[in-house]
Amino acid sequence: MADTKVYLLDGGTLVIDGFHAFWNRGPGGELRFPCYAVLVEHADGRYMFDTGYDFDHVMRVLPFEKPIQDKAQTIPGLLAKLGLKTGDINYVINSHYHFDHCGGNKHLHEACTICHAAELEASGNCQPFEHLGYSDLTFSPELLKKKGKELPPDPALDMYTPKFQTLKGDQEIAKGLWLFETPGHTAGHYSLMVELKNRRPMLFTGDACYSKKNMDMMCISSFHLDPVGSLKSMQRLKDLAQKHDAELFYSHDPDSFKAYKKGPDFYS
């Protein structure tokens, strides 16, 4: 793992209305969008940025988002395509703790979980209008129990006792791996930039910006804690991309995703 490699792991799709994807702008109607995890093979270990959604959770709590995901698109299935096991992941970085970004955490039994301190706090004490976003708490069985909720019957959770490393501010967590604060969508949202040897840096927006269309229109999604903060974070991503000559990779962009390399292909 001398040279850093980045794999985009296709975790299936969900549906939202266009007026939610493009807040008060639309057009309305069903919009099917991708969810993916990012695996970074680095000299210091294997890092996974976000882990997608859990199909059973979505069907139980948010079936109107119409998930399409097969077993090969779960975290264990995606890693198997690369010849890896769940125990081979050393670190999980969660941009935030909405259900479609942390649903696979429970499979990564050996990984240390890295997140913003404000995000971990918010996930256990969210605003009432955020309750569906933060509905999957299996990333922290301890938090789930504190809220008086039962663990769903899932053998993966019997093995999952996460270790958390909470951060604040911008951080270079390993050489060439940068976390940038981009709050607004949630209280403690992080975006990730990866520096590579053979190409421009890759700047993963997380849900600070769903798609290139959102960025071009400067239009946030309707799922947000602070709309003004969200717009400021979108502008910050633009500025960071210009400063570092980085390429923006969007979290839920059905058009851009078609052109992205997906595992087992990789960027380096």
Side-chain angles (χ1 to χ4, degrees):
M1 295 196 298
D3 292 339
T4 301
K5 297 178 181 177
V6 176
Y7 298 81
L8 274 56
L9 307 180
D10 180 359
T13 61
L14 296 170
V15 164
I16 56 173
D17 189 89
F19 282 119
H20 287 307
F22 308 101
W23 189 37
N24 289 337
R25 299 282 292 275
E30 285 193 355
L31 174 67
R32 183 163 289 279
F33 63 89
C35 297
Y36 65 95
V38 180
L39 174 63
V40 181
E41 287 201 341
H42 188 275
D44 290 351
R46 293 186 177 94
Y47 295 76
M48 186 169 287
F49 182 65
D50 288 340
T51 60
Y53 67 86
D54 178 76
F55 180 88
D56 291 337
H57 172 81
V58 176
M59 288 302 295
R60 184 170 59 251
V61 180
L62 305 100
F64 48 86
E65 296 215 5
K66 302 180 181 179
I68 296 178
Q69 180 191 76
D70 60 33
K71 293 295 183 182
Q73 292 174 306
T74 64
I75 292 299
L78 291 164
L79 290 174
K81 292 179 184 178
L82 306 181
L84 298 174
K85 298 178 181 178
T86 56
D88 293 326
I89 304 303
N90 305 106
Y91 302 94
V92 177
I93 308 164
N94 286 112
S95 62
H96 63 302
Y97 282 120
H98 282 178
F99 72 93
D100 55 327
H101 293 261
C102 64
N105 280 36
K106 64 187 178 184
H107 298 291
L108 304 175
H109 310 136
E110 306 299 322
C112 174
T113 300
I114 300 171
C115 65
H116 198 290
E119 187 63 21
L120 188 57
E121 169 64 24
S123 65
N125 189 31
C126 68
Q127 296 297 324
F129 58 83
E130 297 180 289
H131 77 279
L132 284 178
Y134 287 113
S135 58
D136 188 349
L137 298 179
T138 54
F139 70 89
S140 175
E142 182 180 353
L143 178 60
L144 196 65
K145 290 176 183 177
K146 282 183 180 179
K147 291 181 74 71
K149 297 184 178 181
E150 294 184 3
L151 291 172
D154 188 335
L157 288 172
D158 293 337
M159 303 170 62
Y160 185 50
T161 54
K163 305 177 291 290
F164 288 98
Q165 180 180 348
T166 57
L167 307 174
K168 292 182 178 180
D170 297 345
Q171 299 276 349
E172 187 178 22
I173 58 173
K175 185 174 176 57
L177 297 186
W178 290 90
L179 291 177
F180 295 118
E181 285 188 325
T182 47
H185 181 72
T186 62
H189 190 282
Y190 267 132
S191 299
L192 171 73
M193 188 176 77
V194 184
E195 297 176 355
L196 295 170
K197 182 178 180 180
N198 300 309
R199 73 177 320 275
R200 299 164 59 198
M202 303 173 74
L203 179 51
F204 294 94
T205 64
D207 277 5
C209 187
Y210 276 22
S211 70
K212 185 178 184 299
K213 181 178 176 180
N214 287 93
M215 186 67 83
D216 290 344
M217 296 168 63
M218 286 302 285
C219 177
I220 65 173
S221 74
S222 69
F223 303 98
H224 57 254
L225 176 65
D226 174 3
V228 175
S230 292
L231 283 171
K232 288 180 178 177
S233 287
M234 286 178 67
Q235 185 59 54
R236 184 172 196 224
L237 286 166
K238 275 189 175 183
D239 295 342
L240 286 167
Q242 183 175 14
K243 176 181 178 181
H244 297 282
D245 187 29
E247 182 179 355
L248 289 164
F249 283 76
Y250 302 98
S251 62
H252 298 309
D253 189 338
D255 295 323
S256 297
F257 192 68
K258 294 173 185 175
Y260 294 166
K261 292 182 182 179
K262 271 80 80 175
D265 289 339
F266 59 86
Y267 298 87
S268 65

